[in-house]
Amino acid sequence: MDCHFLAVANQKGGVGKTATAVNVAAALAVLELDTLLVDLDPQANATGNLLNTAGTPGIADVLIDDVELQRVVRLTGRKHLSIAPGNSRLSSYIPKTRTELREKILPSSTRYRFVVLDCPPALGGSTVSALASCDEIVVPVQAEYLALEGLSSLITAVNRVRDGLEPVKTRYLLTMFDGRNRLAKEVEADLRRHFGGSVSRVVIPRSVRMAEAPGFRRTIFEHAANSGAADAYATFAEEVAVDVGR
Ligand code: ADP
Ligand code: MG
């Protein structure tokens, strides 16, 4: 069975992309689905979240210098979860072909059921390659003023990047959600009105436990297994896995 490539993207920073990529990858691994997390952000936050050494060599060496993927993939100490680290060289990456990322990962595809791509907060080379290379896009959305405006430029970029490729499923995920906040509820209603069934029923709550976890290099399942956020990410990952038939 081929592996399923999932890009976590939104050009806006601080919306929960890395938290989502790390915790969805971790949740898929808990479901015993072999998962490779690929850190495409030059800031390498996802890498720092899981490993305690700086990520070099990393995916940039694969993309820029044609190093074999398996030479940079690292075990994370968690069953079924590996990572291709990120590092600052990614900021100078210009894809040689649109789907270069997928082509470079495919020789390893029998090892993984899922490849989760954590994109940087920009529409640069690595994001373009991730958007063109994936089977599905997960868009974390923070329920705040002007959230929808940002999404329309993302959709325009996706349409341009995927021109001539298979249509791609997009799944919107509300993150850092505070149900007591009236604006948040309004933005949620707007999002569901615009994107209907593409918006996950699952909503990730804002939680101190989520904010703490990266500092301990823990996933939410390691840091606060019984929290609402852990539940939400587990349910969301199940939704993804079921839709893909895994
Ligand atoms: P991005 O990758 O889109 O820039 P991050 O995932 O790094 O965003 O999240 C931005 C900040 O918010 C980080 O400090 C992260 O720990 C924190 N964060 C992420 N999700 C939550 C949440 N559900 N509740 C509280 N804090 C969160
Ligand atoms: Mg990030």
Side-chain angles (χ1 to χ4, degrees), residues 121-132:
L123 293 168
S126 61
T127 300
V128 164
S129 198
L131 293 176

Side-chain angles (χ1 to χ4, degrees), residues 170-232:
T170 303
R171 210 185 286 267
Y172 298 90
L173 176 66
L174 283 153
T175 57
M176 298 182 224
F177 192 81
D178 177 358
R180 292 162 304 180
N181 179 323
R182 195 171 56 87
L183 175 65
K185 300 207 97 159
E186 282 172 15
V187 173
E188 178 186 17
D190 270 1
L191 194 70
R192 294 196 188 282
R193 206 174 307 123
H194 270 78
F195 298 112
S198 299
V199 184
S200 177
R201 298 311 310 176
V202 179
V203 169
I204 310 298
R206 177 176 289 283
S207 129
V208 174
R209 308 301 263 160
M210 279 295 299
E212 290 168 352
F216 293 101
R217 299 189 200 286
R218 290 178 189 150
T219 69
I220 193 62
F221 308 104
E222 295 155 357
H223 187 61
N226 297 318
S227 62
D231 265 6

Side-chain angles (χ1 to χ4, degrees), residues 49-132:
N49 195 159
L50 293 176
L51 300 178
N52 90 49
T53 42
T56 184
I59 190 69
D61 303 84
V62 175
L63 294 170
I64 299 169
D65 299 331
D66 293 323
V67 171
E68 221 183 290
L69 178 71
Q70 287 308 318
R71 295 188 56 192
V72 312
V73 167
R74 307 264 300 266
L75 300 175
T76 64
R78 289 122 178 133
K79 268 190 174 170
H80 306 290
L81 182 58
S82 304
I83 184 167
N87 62 45
S88 59
R89 287 187 74 205
L90 281 164
S91 57
S92 61
Y93 168 58
I94 298 164
K96 292 179 267 312
T97 66
R98 200 167 32 156
T99 54
E100 177 168 36
L101 186 57
R102 188 178 189 101
E103 288 148 23
K104 295 265 168 82
I105 294 173
L106 273 183
S108 298
S109 65
T110 55
R111 292 170 181 261
Y112 309 112
R113 308 291 291 279
F114 282 92
V115 171
V116 177
L117 308 166
D118 184 26
C119 295
L123 293 168
S126 61
T127 300
V128 164
S129 198
L131 293 176

Side-chain angles (χ1 to χ4, degrees), residues 14 16-19 41 43 45-46 118-121:
K17 285 182 293 298
T18 298
D41 190 340
Q43 304 261 351
N45 293 327
D118 184 26
C119 295

